[in-house]
Amino acid sequence: MHGFNEQPIEIGRLQRFAMDHFHAQGGRLPRKSDEKRPEKIACIGAGPASLAAAAELRQQGFQVTIFDKRSLPGGLNTYGIAEYKLPLTDSLREIELIKDLGVQFRLGVEICGENSLAELEAEFDVIFIGAGLGAMHRLAIPGESHSGVIDALQFIEDYKTGKTTQIAGDVIVVGAGNTAIDAANAAKRLGARSVSILYRRTREHISAFDFEYRQALQEGVRFLWLTQLMAIHSSAIGITSVECLCTEIDSDGSLKPIDDSTFHLECNLVIPAIGQSPLLELLTQCRDVQLEQGRVVVDRATGQTSNPKYFAGGDCVNGGREVVDAVADGKRAGIAIARLLEVAYV
Ligand SMILES: Cc1cc2nc3c(=O)[nH]c(=O)nc-3n(C[C@H](O)[C@H](O)[C@H](O)COP(=O)(O)OP(=O)(O)OC[C@H]3O[C@@H](n4cnc5c(N)ncnc54)[C@H](O)[C@@H]3O)c2cc1C
C-alpha cells in the first residue's frame, strides 16, 4: 500500500477513523470471551502499559486488579503529557472504558518492599510490572535545592491538574528533550515573561522531535545552544539569576567548557528536564527479575521476565519512549499471559 501510494502514511487520520468507527459502534470495548476465568493478575502502575495489559486480559475473562500509588489512573497520560496535547478529562474518559470491562483499581496504594510484593505474589497468579520510570535526574549544581527549582514532571503535573494557573517572571528550562519542550510551552502558556531552554550541545543533538522544537519556537520559546548551567543564585525574595558557561564540541564529539566564558541570565524559576532515572527501589525488589542498566529485561515477544511469574512493559522496559510503545507492550504481554494461563489450566 505504502509502496503503491508513495506518500507518508497519515497515522493520525487512520487513528481518527478507527476511533470514529469505535464510537459509532457504541464506544464500548468488546469482551473476547464469555468465560469467567478464575486466575488473577495484578498490574503494578495504572499507566498505558498496565491499562493495555489489563484490558486485554479482562476481555479474555481473567480477573485483573491494577495498583497505583497515585489517586488518579493513567500514569503520565494523566499527570505528564501536557494539557494542551492531552486534556486530563480525555485521559480519564478512556480509562472508564477499561473500568466498564470490570478491571478493579486499587489507587493510592504503593507497592514497595519485599512484603508488599510477597503479598501480591501470594494473592495473584501473575504480576505485570508497568511502573514507568522514577524521578528526574538532578542537576547537581549549587542552588538546586531552592524552592524556585521545580523539576519538569512536577511542573507539568501542577499545570495539568490546575495547581499552577499562572507564573510571572523569567523561566529557564534545562535540557532539550520532548519533556523540556512540554515544560517550556506550558510555562509560556502560564504567562511567563520569557522562557529559555538551555542546552549544552547544539540543535542537531537534541532528542526532541523536530515538530515539537518548531512548535516551541512558535510559542516564543528561546533556545540557547552550547550553554551549560553552572549555578542558581537567589536572594530573600527568590531566584534572581543563573550562572552559565559556554561550551564547544571537539572534533571527537566530546563537550568542552570554554575558559572565561561565564555569563549570567536573569531568572525567577528553573525547570530541570534532563531525563528520568530508573525506578530501582521497586524493580530491585521484584524477586529474580533481571535488570540491565535499570531496565527490566524481558522476552520481547511476550514481555515475560526472568521470573516466569512476572511480566513487564512500557517505560520500565524501554527506558522511556511513547504511549504507543507502552500500549503495544501491554497488549503483547496480556496476550502472552492469557496463553500461559490457558496452558496451565488445561
Ligand atoms: C512530560 C512528558 C511528556 C510526554 N509526552 C508524550 C507525548 O506527547 N506522546 C507520547 O506518545 N508519549 C509522551 N510521553 C511518554 C509517555 O507518557 C510514556 O512513554 C508512557 O506514559 C509510558 O507508560 P507506562 O505505562 O510505561 O508508564 P507511566 O505512564 O509512567 O505509568 C506508570 C504508573 O506506575 C505507577 N507506579 C510507579 N511505581 C509504583 C509503585 N511502586 N506502586 C504503585 N504504582 C506505581 C505510577 O504512579 C504511574 O501511574 C511523555 C512523557 C513525559 C514525561
Side-chain angles (χ1 to χ4, degrees):
M1 179 73 178
H2 184 51
F4 175 71
N5 190 12
E6 289 189 356
Q7 296 296 316
I9 295 172
E10 296 183 62
I11 292 171
R13 293 186 65 195
L14 286 173
Q15 287 173 334
R16 176 78 265 161
F17 178 80
M19 288 314 289
D20 285 348
H21 177 74
F22 172 71
H23 287 295
Q25 301 301 308
R28 289 175 76 87
L29 293 172
R31 288 290 292 265
K32 296 179 181 172
S33 161
D34 290 332
E35 228 184 312
K36 198 168 182 291
R37 300 294 304 256
E39 297 94 337
K40 294 161 76 182
I41 298 100
C43 298
I44 307 178
S50 286
L51 289 169
E56 179 62 38
L57 285 159
R58 189 66 200 133
Q59 282 176 298
Q60 298 203 34
F62 294 93
Q63 315 302 312
V64 190
T65 306
I66 295 183
F67 295 82
D68 203 295
K69 60 185 174 188
R70 291 182 169 276
S71 55
L72 290 175
L76 287 171
N77 266 1
T78 296
Y79 290 100
I81 298 178
E83 179 71 11
Y84 61 85
K85 283 188 187 164
L86 178 62
L88 189 55
T89 43
D90 285 7
S91 164
L92 297 177
R93 203 174 300 131
E94 285 179 5
I95 293 158
E96 286 306 312
L97 297 171
I98 293 165
K99 281 190 181 159
D100 287 347
L101 281 173
V103 171
Q104 301 297 309
F105 284 80
R106 294 195 207 162
L107 300 173
V109 179
E110 179 166 11
I111 306 299
C112 58
E114 281 172 17
N115 284 342
S116 141
L117 280 161
E119 282 164 24
L120 276 199
E121 284 197 26
E123 186 181 345
F124 293 90
D125 297 284
V126 173
I127 298 168
F128 176 80
I129 313 166
L133 292 168
M136 281 255 146
H137 290 302
R138 290 177 57 77
L139 293 167
I141 57 169
E144 186 179 14
S145 53
H146 194 281
S147 61
V149 179
I150 304 174
D151 83 51
L153 283 185
Q154 188 61 52
F155 180 75
I156 293 169
E157 177 179 332
D158 291 349
Y159 166 60
K160 195 157 182 181
T161 56
K163 193 172 161 200
T164 303
T165 52
Q166 60 176 29
I167 50 175
D170 302 304
V171 176
I172 297 284
V173 179
V174 189
N178 290 318
T179 302
I181 301 241
D182 274 9
N185 287 344
K188 245 336 202 162
R189 288 173 184 224
L190 287 167
R193 184 168 48 219
S194 75
V195 180
S196 307
I197 285 188
L198 303 194
Y199 186 54
R200 292 184 302 172
R201 293 177 175 266
T202 65
R203 159 81 186 89
E204 291 68 43
H205 296 97
I206 67 174
S207 58
F209 296 129
D210 189 55
F211 72 89
E212 300 262 18
Y213 165 66
R214 281 186 278 113
Q215 192 195 341
L217 289 177
Q218 273 175 11
E219 297 267 354
V221 174
R222 180 168 73 133
F223 286 79
L224 295 178
W225 308 119
L226 295 169
T227 302
Q228 176 145 9
L229 186 63
M230 301 303 291
I232 298 163
H233 298 295
S234 57
S235 70
I237 51 159
I239 293 180
T240 51
S241 67
V242 292
E243 189 179 321
C244 308
L245 191 69
C246 297
T247 57
E248 61 183 352
I249 299 173
D250 255 354
S251 51
D252 65 357
S254 61
L255 202 66
K256 216 172 70 178
I258 299 178
D259 290 341
D260 302 324
S261 65
T262 302
F263 66 98
H264 289 80
L265 292 170
E266 283 186 13
C267 165
N268 310 102
L269 178 68
V270 177
I271 305 177
I274 54 170
Q276 286 176 263
S277 51
L279 202 59
L280 290 178
E281 57 281 20
L282 170 71
L283 301 181
T284 51
Q285 301 288 322
C286 297
R287 191 173 54 84
D288 296 336
V289 170
Q290 191 194 338
L291 304 181
E292 217 172 81
Q293 294 179 338
R295 300 178 190 183
V296 184
V297 177
V298 296
D299 169 43
R300 173 99 183 100
T302 61
Q304 195 168 35
T305 72
S306 48
N307 177 343
K309 197 176 169 87
Y310 283 84
F311 286 68
D315 280 3
C316 67
V317 169
N318 62 36
R321 282 200 201 141
E322 293 194 46
V323 172
V324 69
D325 300 290
V327 169
D329 282 359
K331 195 168 169 61
R332 249 193 319 265
I335 293 168
I337 294 168
R339 265 200 216 120
L340 176 88
L341 293 174
E342 265 156 28
V343 171
Y345 193 57
V346 170

